[in-house]
Amino acid sequence: MTDLPASLADFGPAALSAVVVAGYLVAGEPVVGHVLHRRFEGRLRTDPAARRSFYLRLLVLEWGLALLALVLWLSTPGVDAAAVGLAWPSGLPGPVTGAATLLVLLLSLASVRALRSGALARAAEPRPGTSPPTRGRHAEPAGHATLALLPRSPAERRLFSVVGVTAGVCEEWLYRGFFLAVVAAVAGDVPQVVLVAVGALAFGLAHAYQGLPGVVLTGVLGAVFAGLYLETGSLLLPVLLHAAVDLRFLLVPESALPGGPPLPGTRRGRPAGGAPA
């Protein structure tokens, strides 16, 4: 298990700054993410470079926050690398966390299969005789905020692969390594289950732009990542699992996504014969 800081005094002069950054991850990141995503959706219909631009903004934001947290940690006299997960695994996940990790992998593969079927691309098409729904400045139907982020071209896919790896590295460092160390230092000796719950809540709120279902789903994922981190004492396995969950979308062909090229044997996302699939 990770040897978390026992007191905020371990952070020394950087203590206040560490608390401020941790507070931003809980309260500020949901607002910033929501604003950025709304602006991104507003550009999708008119700007072909909207996704690439949004990916670059994500890279700058995540690496910037990660580097800031790294500098703060390097400034702390009493928090060693193992206390923030920057170490090799010192143990194996318990049976519950191990089973949850396996379930995440299986559900991720199942979601890829569902996406590859093209059902979402067909569902996004307007019915014959109707006009596409208007949603103000937003290009995606309600509940499809995640789909709006997925790449539709080879250039976008290449950049998305960098975003996926960045999410695995930076978000695990921020929300598991750094954030949980600050929480443990502020709260004192708290049970591991509390740390998992707090980490899950913070990670879920960071994805508030996806709506309540997205908050719940990413919150559950955050709980699995946190349990895996705390039980192994290392960020390595959470980083690998997180990156794999995000990069699975690269297995989905462009034609299976709303806004992608037509599916083989179809016209405008529907079977050539005109009947729904």
Side-chain angles (χ1 to χ4, degrees):
M1 180 176 172
T2 302
D3 186 16
L4 295 167
S7 168
L8 196 59
D10 293 340
F11 281 83
L16 178 59
S17 297
V19 171
V20 170
V21 173
Y24 168 81
L25 293 176
V26 176
E29 187 64 17
V31 176
V32 171
H34 179 74
V35 171
L36 287 178
H37 197 275
R38 300 274 286 192
R39 291 178 178 175
F40 158 65
E41 284 189 318
R43 294 177 56 191
L44 272 178
R45 290 191 186 277
T46 58
D47 185 359
R51 283 193 183 85
R52 293 194 299 275
S53 177
F54 186 69
Y55 293 162
L56 290 173
R57 283 185 172 88
L58 287 179
L59 291 174
V60 171
L61 178 62
E62 296 215 344
W63 281 110
L65 283 172
L67 289 175
L68 175 59
L70 182 63
V71 169
L72 288 175
W73 168 67
L74 291 173
S75 303
T76 60
V79 183
D80 60 18
V84 290
L86 300 180
W88 290 105
S90 58
L92 296 174
V96 174
T97 301
T101 300
L102 180 59
L103 183 60
V104 167
L105 290 172
L106 292 176
L107 290 177
S108 295
L109 291 175
S111 70
V112 168
R113 183 176 180 182
L115 285 169
R116 288 177 65 90
S117 72
L120 290 171
R122 290 188 291 269
E125 290 291 328
R127 295 180 180 178
T130 64
S131 300
T134 57
R135 299 181 181 273
R137 299 176 57 199
H138 305 288
E140 295 290 331
H144 285 193
T146 302
L147 294 178
L149 295 174
L150 303 188
R152 275 29 173 216
S153 70
E156 290 177 358
R157 292 169 75 86
R158 288 191 293 270
L159 191 53
F160 183 84
S161 66
V162 180
V163 172
V165 173
T166 291
V169 173
C170 294
E171 292 180 11
E172 290 309 306
W173 160 241
L174 287 167
Y175 283 93
R176 256 60 69 180
F178 178 80
F179 178 73
L180 291 184
V182 175
V183 171
V186 171
D189 187 17
V190 295
Q192 179 173 307
V193 65
V194 174
L195 290 174
V196 169
V198 172
L201 178 62
F203 193 62
L205 290 176
H207 296 80
Y209 66 87
Q210 297 179 13
L212 182 58
V215 171
V216 173
L217 177 59
T218 54
V220 171
L221 285 174
V224 175
F225 297 150
L228 196 58
Y229 161 54
L230 293 172
E231 291 182 2
T232 63
S234 171
L235 291 173
L236 179 59
L237 294 183
V239 164
L240 294 177
L241 179 60
H242 191 152
V245 168
D246 285 358
L247 293 175
R248 78 189 191 278
F249 292 114
L250 294 177
L251 299 175
V252 181
E254 301 161 32
S255 58
L257 295 172
L263 293 165
T266 68
R267 181 173 61 254
R268 295 179 57 81
R270 291 190 177 277

